[in-house]
Every structure is written in structure tokens, then in C-alpha cells.
Amino acid sequence: MAHRVVLITGMSGAGKTIALKAMEDIGFEAIDNLPLYIIPLLTSSPESLVRPLAIGIDIRSRDFDAGYFTSKTLPLIRQKNPDAQMLFLECDDEILLRRFTETRRKHPISGGRPIMDSIKNERSVMNILKEQADIVLDTSDYSLNELRAWVKENFSSDKKDNFFVKINSFSFKKGLPRDSDLIFDVRFLKNPHYTPELRPLNGKDAAIAEYIKSDPAFPPVYDKLHDLILELLPKYLEEGKTYLTISIGCTGGKHRSVFVAETLRDDLRKKDYNVSLNHRDVG
């Protein structure tokens, strides 16, 4: 672990700064925005690698040239550090636009142009780094805490005995969560939407829970789903996977998927799994 090197790059607004801070929290020395020519010198010096090292690289870096970095700089780094990894943080264009708009930040290569133009220009430059990355993480559906948790679970020296599960509920009408490893469709359950007094509620409400549990289809199917997931999780861990995303969908993403996701979260926690829950389309 003492000589570990992780290069963190990706789209502006995709969470590189948060990821670097999370690396620092788990014991890495985190350095951002270095001139590219310095990085091979830094990673080849024994004095620099007394701690694991996380280095941020993006389009703001001095003399940034994606082609030169992937063809010259990256091979030099890996020559001295064969296990060096490059993490690329990806994100949907519309979500990047929303993030820049909400925070009122300028895009680093805006030059007075519309933000979306800058995002598209940056993507055309950064795609060559994405192609060379060891890990590509799409943060479009991640909260700040979920991104921090992902970094901790994938890069912490204690990850061997940890396994992190993220559960999403979602609406099929609004598309699949892009980071899903396993997807389950619960639209076969009775839909509370068609009961007027239940329609304004969501799957976290007791009345919705009782309604869905009263459906004869729920107990046998949920039991099989629960047992399947409990059988799969140790197998993913054995394969070296430390982060798994399970997505559960229904038509509107408000009632059935939310209740099943809540129930699964509670049951997995009883088995001592680390679980986070995201209701993407509630509200």
C-alpha cells in the first residue's frame, strides 16, 4: 500500500475534487493540478512514495495534452509503478450542465462560451484518457456521500473485509440507473397508484407497505429475490468486487420499487452488509 499510485481524472464537474479529498481521508497523499512533466518524476522517487499517492489530472493542468499524456507520460509512470491505476470520472452532459448552473461556477475552458459547448469540447479532449483508464465511474446518479463511500470501499486498505451495496429505486419511464449491476422489475405487484387515497403517498409510508405486502405475489417473489441476492453477494466479493449497485424499478418509481428497496435495505443490514439507498424518482 505504501507505494500505491492512483491517477484521478475525468470530466470537470464529475467529482474529481471530492474523490481526491476522499483519498486523503483514507491515508493517501492527494496532489492536484501538477504540470504533467513533473508526475513521472514524482512517482519514481522513493522519497515521494512513503505514503500512497493520489494525483489529480484534468484539462486545467499546465501544458495539458491528452495525447502526449497517454502516449508518453502514462507509460513512464507505469514503468516505475506497474500497479498504478487511472480512475476516470464520467458524467452525463445534462447533469454536468446542471451542476455548473446550480453552483454558478465557470467551466474551466469556457472562454465566454456557453457551458454546454465547453462540456462537449472537453469531452472530445478527455475521451482519449477515458479509453486508457483502468476504472471508469459514472457519477451521474451519485450524491457526494455516495462518491466518498465508493472511493473508501475501492481504495481503502481495509476494503478486504468490506463490501458496499447501493440500492436504487427508479421509474422505468425515466430510464435505467446507469450504474446498475443488477436490475429487478417489480411492476408485477399491485399498483397503489390506482387507489386514490394511496396515490399521494410513497413506498416509505406504512399504508403503502401494508398494501403491497397484502398482494399474494409479494411474499414468494420477494423471498426468492432476497435469497438470490444473499447468495450472489459473497460470490461478487470473492471475485474482488467491493461495490455493487442493485436497482429496483416500477412504473412511476414512487410506490412499489421504493417499498421493495426499503425492505431489501433493511434485510441486508441485518446480515451486516454496508448498504446505502437512493430513491431516484420519488418526488
Side-chain angles (χ1 to χ4, degrees):
M1 182 68 177
H3 298 284
R4 192 172 190 185
V5 174
V6 179
L7 309 173
I8 301 179
T9 186
M11 296 294 294
S12 301
K16 182 173 68 70
T17 300
I18 298 300
L20 278 170
K21 289 181 178 177
M23 297 292 274
E24 199 168 31
D25 290 342
I26 59 175
F28 280 71
E29 182 178 4
I31 304 173
D32 194 14
N33 207 21
L34 283 173
L36 297 188
Y37 73 88
I38 292 178
I39 298 176
L41 302 175
L42 182 65
T43 56
S44 63
S45 168
E47 293 81 9
S48 301
L49 293 174
V50 293
R51 293 170 57 195
L53 186 61
I55 302 174
I57 300 166
D58 62 30
I59 206 162
R60 298 171 303 147
S61 301
R62 188 186 305 175
D63 301 324
F64 180 81
D65 183 322
Y68 184 86
F69 177 79
T70 54
S71 64
K72 302 293 184 182
T73 309
L74 188 58
L76 284 175
I77 296 169
R78 287 178 166 159
Q79 182 180 346
K80 292 290 185 179
N81 305 272
D83 295 327
Q85 292 178 293
M86 185 158 71
L87 167 65
F88 189 97
L89 298 179
E90 173 65 284
C91 191
D92 182 78
D93 285 354
E94 293 296 331
I95 292 176
L96 289 174
L97 176 62
R98 188 184 71 200
R99 290 176 182 175
F100 277 104
T101 302
E102 289 176 349
T103 59
R104 298 187 179 182
R105 290 173 50 211
K106 289 184 178 179
H107 194 280
I109 61 167
S110 66
R113 292 173 296 183
I115 293 175
M116 184 56 81
D117 289 351
S118 301
I119 291 170
K120 293 184 181 300
N121 288 339
E122 181 184 24
R123 187 175 297 283
S124 68
V125 172
M126 299 300 287
N127 271 341
I128 189 170
L129 270 70
K130 180 179 176 181
E131 292 170 359
Q132 296 294 318
D134 302 286
I135 307 168
V136 177
L137 177 67
D138 192 319
T139 66
S140 300
D141 295 328
Y142 279 62
S143 67
L144 299 183
N145 286 336
E146 287 169 342
L147 178 54
R148 292 188 190 101
W150 186 92
V151 170
K152 178 180 178 182
E153 294 304 321
N154 282 270
F155 293 102
S156 171
S157 59
D158 297 327
K159 71 175 185 176
K160 182 178 179 181
D161 297 321
N162 293 308
F163 189 85
F164 193 82
V165 180
K166 177 186 176 185
I167 301 176
N168 294 313
S169 70
F170 71 95
S171 162
F172 275 99
K173 292 192 295 185
K174 297 183 179 180
L176 303 177
R178 64 186 67 243
D179 60 337
S180 304
D181 296 301
L182 300 172
I183 297 174
F184 297 98
D185 182 350
V186 296
R187 287 176 291 186
F188 65 89
L189 295 171
K190 289 194 304 182
N191 193 348
H193 175 80
Y194 297 110
T195 302
E197 61 269 24
L198 297 180
R199 185 177 302 173
L201 306 178
N202 65 59
K204 294 187 283 186
D205 292 306
I208 299 295
E210 291 304 317
Y211 182 90
I212 294 173
K213 286 192 290 187
S214 70
D215 184 342
F218 172 74
V221 174
Y222 177 78
D223 288 346
K224 290 182 175 65
L225 170 63
H226 171 264
D227 291 345
L228 173 64
I229 291 173
L230 284 181
E231 185 172 344
L232 289 175
L233 293 184
K235 298 185 185 303
Y236 283 117
L237 187 55
E238 288 170 10
E239 290 298 316
K241 192 173 180 67
T242 59
Y243 196 91
L244 187 79
T245 301
I246 302 169
S247 296
I248 300 170
C250 64
T251 305
K254 181 179 177 181
H255 297 118
R256 294 167 291 180
S257 61
V258 171
F259 170 71
V260 174
E262 291 269 336
T263 305
L264 184 61
R265 185 270 314 273
D266 293 344
D267 287 342
L268 292 184
R269 283 182 175 173
K270 291 174 185 176
K271 299 294 184 180
D272 296 324
Y273 283 101
N274 297 311
V275 187
S276 72
L277 181 59
N278 174 48
H279 296 306
R280 191 189 72 178
D281 297 318
V282 172

